[in-house]
Amino acid sequence: MAIITGFKSGKSYTFKNLTTEKMLNLYGGRTDKGTNVCQYTADGSDDQKWTFLGDKLYAYGSSTKCLDKFTSSGSAKNNNADIWDNDDDKNQIIEISQLNAGSPYVTIKLKQGGYYLTAYTGKDYPGDRNIVGLSMICYTKVQKNIES
């Protein structure tokens, strides 16, 4: 089970990068497997909502596509993040940890391998490639719980 405090399975959340002020975003709102996960200026769209189920983050409105570490290419320490079918625990089970008790700041990390969700630049996608990936630490603010 993921390391959580205040996160509830079945609830939806948004995540804002503290450094870039951009939201964790599903590129183009698509839910096809392999769709890039990027960061984008807050716009309130469903593309920026994520549902926490058990120990995975799912694209909002999907019970089959979740946050995934892209593994076909790239170095092991700098992989792109995408969404994929819920069938690869090694690259999909996450730990969400708060910076301090009661803090809205969290890290999102793959349980296996210890890769953290991070952003490479402050540009809106498609201003750069592989903007959101799994590599070094990046603190993210839980913007809000979508469903009360």
Side-chain angles (χ1 to χ4, degrees):
M1 193 67 173
I3 299 170
I4 56 171
T5 304
F7 279 82
K8 295 182 181 175
S9 187
K11 297 293 182 180
S12 295
Y13 301 89
T14 57
F15 299 92
K16 184 178 186 179
N17 183 298
L18 290 180
T19 303
T20 66
E21 297 287 316
K22 308 287 183 185
M23 306 298 289
L24 186 63
N25 191 91
L26 188 57
Y27 181 67
R30 298 187 339 247
T31 55
D32 306 327
K33 67 181 181 178
T35 298
N36 276 336
V37 174
C38 59
Q39 61 179 352
Y40 200 78
T41 302
D43 62 13
S45 69
D46 287 350
D47 306 357
Q48 297 176 345
K49 299 174 185 172
W50 297 87
T51 303
F52 183 70
L53 292 173
D55 50 13
K56 296 182 180 183
L57 271 181
Y58 287 80
Y60 186 73
S62 174
S63 61
T64 60
K65 301 291 188 293
C66 59
L67 184 68
D68 180 85
K69 181 179 76 144
F70 181 76
T71 55
S72 290
S73 64
S75 77
K77 294 183 179 178
N78 201 16
N79 288 92
N80 194 37
D82 62 3
I83 60 167
W84 202 261
D85 293 332
N86 174 17
D87 62 3
D88 183 5
D89 288 349
K90 177 181 176 183
N91 292 310
Q92 296 171 345
I93 292 178
I94 61 166
E95 294 176 345
I96 298 176
S97 302
Q98 287 182 302
L99 182 58
N100 297 310
S103 171
Y105 304 108
V106 299
T107 59
I108 301 171
K109 178 178 84 168
L110 275 180
K111 186 171 184 178
Q112 186 163 337
Y115 299 109
Y116 287 86
L117 192 65
T118 188
Y120 299 121
T121 72
K123 298 178 182 177
D124 281 340
Y125 199 92
D128 199 356
R129 268 180 80 237
N130 301 333
I131 289 183
V132 175
L134 292 151
S135 60
M136 58 190 181
I137 193 167
C138 178
Y139 291 107
T140 303
K141 183 176 184 179
V142 178
Q143 190 66 11
K144 64 181 172 179
N145 178 350
I146 306 300
E147 302 162 4
S148 309

